[in-house]
Amino acid sequence: HHWSVLMQNLTFRIPNMSCSHCLHTIKMELTELEGVKDVTGSPADKVITVSFDAPADEQQIRELLEEINYAAE
């Protein structure tokens, strides 16, 4: 089991994320996407960082965030 070198980290600004419960929701939803490994974030700064690998991509992540009403800027 070796780590893929394709792992990407992207940071998104989420203006709607106001509390740790929001962050928890985002984390639960995003980690269900195949390829998403980890989601970290700060409600105070309204940013999340998503660590992901194929088949997930930025487009899918942005679309899912919009669907759950936490659209990224």
Side-chain angles (χ1 to χ4, degrees):
H1 176 111
H2 58 265
W3 289 99
S4 162
V5 289
L6 296 173
M7 181 79 80
Q8 294 189 65
N9 286 311
L10 277 182
T11 300
F12 298 92
R13 211 179 124 66
I14 314 286
N16 255 3
M17 182 174 69
S18 55
C19 62
S20 55
H21 175 72
C22 303
L23 176 59
H24 180 71
T25 302
I26 291 168
K27 187 179 285 208
M28 294 289 289
E29 294 282 344
L30 284 184
T31 50
E32 283 185 10
L33 270 182
E34 195 181 342
V36 174
K37 303 286 186 260
D38 193 30
V39 179
T40 55
S42 163
D45 298 328
K46 298 193 186 303
V47 294
I48 58 167
T49 300
V50 183
S51 304
F52 66 96
D53 213 330
D57 60 28
E58 181 177 354
Q59 185 65 33
Q60 282 186 316
I61 292 166
R62 286 184 175 275
E63 282 171 7
L64 180 59
L65 286 167
E66 264 175 55
E67 261 172 50
I68 62 171
N69 293 317
Y70 291 112
E73 279 186 343

